[in-house]
Amino acid sequence: MSSRTHFWQTPWRFSQSLVIVGGVVLSLLAVQLLLGGRAIAPQYPANRMAFAILSLVTITAAAAFVEFSFVRWLGGLHLSLACGSLITIILILSTLMPSAPSGEETVNFFLPRLHLAYPHRGWSLAGCLAILFVNVAAAMGRRIRRFQARQLSFLVLHGGILLAMGMAMCATSEMVSLSVKMSVGGSGTELFVNGGKEIFLPAKLRLASFDLENYPPKLALVTARGDGRERFEATERWCAKGESFSWGEIEAEILEFLPSAIFRMDQNGWESTDVKGACPAAFVLVKNTNGRKLAEGWVSCGGPFSNKAELPLGIGRALVMIPPSPSIFRAEFQIVEKNGRARRETVVVNRPLHIGPWWVYLTNYDVGRGAASRWAGFQIVNDPTLKYVYAGLAMILAGTFWILWFRPDLWGGKRT
Amino acid sequence: MVQTGFMGGEENMTGIIIVRLCLGMAIVCWVAGALGYATARRRTGMGLLLAGGACVAGLLGYMWITLGRPPLRTMGETRLWFACFLPVIAVIVHFKFANRMLSVLILALASMICVRDLVDPGAFDQTMMPALKSPWFIPHVVAYMVSYSSLVLAGVCALYFLLAARLRKKELNPQQGEIVFNLVQIGFPLMTVGMLFGAFWAKEAWSDYWSWDPKETWALITWLAYAAYIHLYWRKRSNLRWQMIVLIIATVALVICWMGVNFLPSAAQSIHVYGS
């Protein structure tokens, strides 16, 4: 009798697992290439029912049939590693694909259909994650059958992975997200519409005001190069009255700095103003290292009310002002609730507005007009799965520390 | 508002002198500390290790005050935090393992990072985009940097043990596996903290806790790679050599996640490119 074993003889190991998961991934890629489109999760409540049934059935079946070699494989490390390896390959491929501008597909026929640049939209990653999900559930079932107190940390961590992963998958069909633009001072509304989608908020929203604060601007020396391009050397410090900067043999000193200025045609000069959205301007004296004056005049990055001003420094060189970066931008809402009670709330980046289950994020504004922007862009989001995902993430966090830190082998005595 | 940059060429000599002095002193301390450990002067080595760490910590404090923001934004700044946390890990290693070679490796790694920052400190800009102004910013980056210190060190150790075993034609011993695993044990939970805090922050700032941005994708790849190593380590029958190889691959993923993502073709649309 031959002692050689054939490939599919149990127990299955990493290579068999890799072939099985790889086969699933390739089949899903082929289906996707034929059908196109993106992976679609079932709608609520079918998605949550599918999640609950799949987890419970797998955990129970794995606990009941723990001696079966198939169950041991299903909840075993070899399948986890195979899934992890293929997920990693798909993800690495996705980051090697150039992203198309604004997140849209490229002109290539195959890439958009396969969703290689955006793997979360494709069936292959969804398939791998589904197998990993079953694998984690089966692993939990095996531990529950042979339960000991020390396995509680394993169950917390892997239960967290199951909950976070399952509910995040549910979120793909349950989350409602809408990008809207609102005019400053416009009328209040609770109905928001975009691209055929419409949502009703539990309160009327009116964008009362928009405000923007900038960091001070910086100066830069621009030098024309032989190849038609320009060399751009910016200062690291901000503009301020009395500041001086140097670029090799060129030295510049700011004699006057106006953080908010406007160009007066009638006076042919810049003057300070309180007008919202006005641009900064600086009066600069430029000398060489020998103290010889090269130029003197105003530089400004310009804005909605004034053109930009550069200071020429001879052939092919000029001193310019770089438009300032925004430090903070905020929108103030007037909110009128159903009972007629009105209140005002400010939304800034990192501090969204909460209205019932809805989160309103300030996302953009008219960059060309800056603080004088007449509109602001918002993202209105409702994710009913969020608290479950967060609970799962908290369990992952607790489980990771529990398993790895609270062990005698980590903080034990000295080993030499 | 403080308006003094300090690494802008000829703009501010005081700043440049302080940066070079602190980094130079840290390098000298750590090279001398490595020599101390190599010649079995463990107490001297430990003292110099802490002195070097204090130099970098002092520099970070100075930058925090001068820039008017936490110095955690650019690649050069995160490298300094990495170098600052390496001595902390070294103290744990010193007391737990008393392994001189390991301490020398840590000091060499920390010195290399400081030399890198001395040669190319990157831009130390005072501006901070609105999305970075969040209470999650400091814990997210600090947790990541502490974990990176521990995990990169584990990877370097694994590489050293593998090469040494190959050159001496000896088998790896379980104690080496234990040393490396203990370092991963320290770093992996903190990496999980960093990743999940990043998700909570992303939800506050960008409305989605996970958007499959290249940086996030590589963070997940790195996490999966380290998780694979931990599972392999705990598997009784798994081969020690394979564990080390998986750990080195995980470390490569970590370095790509930290420093290499900006160079990937998909980085053009990334929301994590803050300037390096």
Side-chain angles (χ1 to χ4, degrees), chain A residues 28-44:
Chain A
L28 289 170
L29 277 176
V31 169
Q32 196 167 329
L33 195 60
L34 287 173
L35 302 179
R38 54 192 293 178
I40 303 161
Q43 295 296 311
Y44 177 82

Side-chain angles (χ1 to χ4, degrees), chain B residues 16-39:
Chain B
I16 297 167
I17 289 167
I18 288 174
V19 169
R20 292 194 176 150
L21 198 67
C22 287
L23 290 177
M25 275 164 54
I27 293 166
V28 169
C29 285
W30 285 336
V31 170
L35 287 172
Y37 272 112
T39 53

Side-chain angles (χ1 to χ4, degrees), chain A residues 105-350:
Chain A
E105 323 299 352
T106 59
V107 287
N108 186 300
F109 173 77
F110 291 105
L111 292 185
R113 284 182 90 85
L114 290 175
H115 291 300
L116 287 183
Y118 307 98
H120 56 288
R121 298 180 189 171
W123 285 104
S124 49
L125 184 68
C128 264
L129 289 174
I131 298 172
L132 187 64
F133 184 89
V134 171
N135 171 249
V136 172
M140 286 181 68
R142 286 175 63 189
R143 299 287 175 126
I144 287 169
R145 173 68 180 268
R146 295 163 176 170
F147 183 74
Q148 289 173 322
R150 66 189 170 89
Q151 283 168 351
L152 207 56
S153 55
F154 175 93
L155 293 176
V156 169
L157 171 58
H158 290 78
I161 293 174
L162 219 58
L163 184 61
M165 203 159 85
M167 294 315 289
M169 284 182 183
C170 289
T172 57
S173 59
E174 284 186 46
M175 192 166 89
V176 182
S177 176
L178 198 72
S179 298
V180 294
K181 256 186 194 181
M182 291 178 79
S183 301
V184 177
S187 54
T189 178
E190 67 244 281
L191 170 66
F192 293 89
V193 185
N194 189 5
K197 259 201 297 192
E198 62 179 44
I199 54 171
F200 274 98
L201 295 188
K204 268 188 183 171
L205 284 189
R206 179 177 161 271
L207 180 57
S209 67
F210 173 79
D211 192 22
L212 170 78
E213 284 174 28
N214 283 321
Y215 286 109
K218 293 174 179 180
L219 294 182
L221 180 72
V222 182
T223 314
R225 299 196 321 188
D227 56 4
R229 289 152 67 184
E230 287 173 333
R231 182 185 156 89
F232 201 79
E233 294 168 272
T235 60
E236 286 194 345
R237 281 178 293 140
W238 293 324
C239 287
K241 187 176 179 181
E243 282 284 359
S244 54
F245 307 96
S246 61
W247 297 266
E249 80 281 12
I250 294 177
E251 287 175 354
E253 188 187 354
I254 297 178
L255 301 179
E256 187 65 53
F257 177 65
L258 307 175
S260 175
I262 198 161
F263 184 73
R264 292 286 300 264
M265 298 282 276
D266 51 342
Q267 295 170 11
N268 197 26
W270 293 81
E271 73 171 28
S272 193
T273 175
D274 293 333
V275 174
K276 215 172 163 186
C279 56
F283 189 79
V284 188
L285 170 66
V286 184
K287 294 187 282 191
N288 66 12
T289 39
N290 300 328
R292 191 169 69 86
K293 184 170 138 185
L294 297 176
E296 187 181 65
W298 287 95
V299 285
S300 173
C301 54
F305 312 119
S306 310
N307 291 328
K308 69 177 177 182
E310 296 179 358
L311 190 60
L313 301 174
I315 300 167
R317 277 196 304 202
L319 196 66
V320 299
M321 183 181 277
I322 303 173
S325 318
S327 152
I328 190 166
F329 51 101
R330 58 177 84 85
E332 192 185 30
F333 277 116
Q334 188 181 35
I335 304 163
V336 183
E337 289 170 9
K338 292 268 190 245
N339 57 13
R341 206 179 61 175
R343 63 192 160 100
R344 281 184 174 245
E345 284 212 34
T346 304
V347 185
V348 294
V349 178
N350 280 315

Side-chain angles (χ1 to χ4, degrees), chain B:
Chain B
M1 189 180 291
V2 181
Q3 293 203 5
T4 320
F6 56 91
M7 285 304 290
E10 297 165 35
E11 285 178 18
N12 186 338
M13 284 311 291
T14 318
I16 297 167
I17 289 167
I18 288 174
V19 169
R20 292 194 176 150
L21 198 67
C22 287
L23 290 177
M25 275 164 54
I27 293 166
V28 169
C29 285
W30 285 336
V31 170
L35 287 172
Y37 272 112
T39 53
R41 293 184 180 88
R42 287 185 62 231
R43 281 194 178 177
T44 314
M46 178 73 164
L48 289 165
L49 179 145
L50 292 175
C55 289
V56 179
L59 174 60
L60 283 167
Y62 170 74
M63 286 170 65
W64 199 318
I65 294 163
T66 316
L67 290 173
R69 63 166 176 81
L72 291 160
R73 207 201 76 181
T74 65
M75 196 61 77
E77 291 164 7
T78 55
R79 277 198 302 262
L80 285 179
W81 284 90
F82 178 80
C84 185
F85 287 128
L86 273 174
V88 178
I89 305 297
V91 171
I92 297 172
V93 166
H94 179 98
F95 286 111
K96 184 167 168 59
F97 300 115
N99 185 318
R100 286 192 289 133
M101 204 56 231
L102 208 55
S103 301
V104 172
L105 270 179
I106 296 171
L107 291 168
L109 188 63
S111 305
M112 275 161 56
I113 294 290
C114 281
V115 169
R116 172 80 176 80
D117 255 46
L118 201 58
V119 173
D120 173 23
F124 291 96
D125 197 320
Q126 287 167 282
T127 53
M128 195 154 85
M129 60 189 286
L132 293 179
K133 290 177 181 169
S134 161
W136 294 106
F137 179 44
I138 296 172
H140 167 68
V141 185
V142 169
Y144 256 126
M145 283 304 116
V146 182
S147 78
Y148 281 7
S149 309
S150 176
L151 295 173
V152 169
L153 186 64
V156 171
C157 286
L159 187 65
Y160 168 74
F161 290 147
L162 266 183
L163 290 176
R166 196 175 177 83
L167 288 173
R168 292 174 193 159
K169 296 195 169 101
K170 279 185 179 174
E171 287 293 308
L172 290 161
N173 67 55
Q175 198 213 331
Q176 290 172 327
E178 196 187 332
I179 289 173
V180 168
F181 180 72
N182 279 180
L183 289 170
V184 175
Q185 254 181 303
I186 295 168
F188 186 76
L190 292 169
M191 178 192 253
T192 311
V193 169
M195 189 167 76
L196 299 188
F197 278 19
F200 299 143
W201 179 10
K203 181 66 190 168
E204 297 280 315
W206 298 316
S207 79
D208 220 339
Y209 46 80
W210 198 267
S211 53
W212 298 101
D213 182 87
K215 192 85 170 180
E216 293 170 358
T217 303
W218 273 95
L220 179 62
I221 291 169
T222 310
W223 194 85
L224 286 173
Y226 279 103
Y229 163 76
I230 291 167
H231 281 84
L232 277 177
Y233 179 82
W234 272 331
R235 192 178 167 78
K236 287 167 195 139
R237 282 165 293 167
S238 95
N239 181 313
L240 196 54
R241 191 165 160 269
W242 269 109
Q243 290 171 23
M244 299 280 189
I245 290 171
V246 170
L247 183 58
I248 292 166
I249 293 171
T251 310
V252 171
L254 184 154
V255 173
I256 293 175
C257 179
W258 182 17
M259 299 178 176
V261 166
N262 292 5
F263 304 105
L264 292 172
S266 54
Q269 300 292 319
S270 174
I271 46 178
H272 281 90
V273 180
Y274 300 119
S276 50

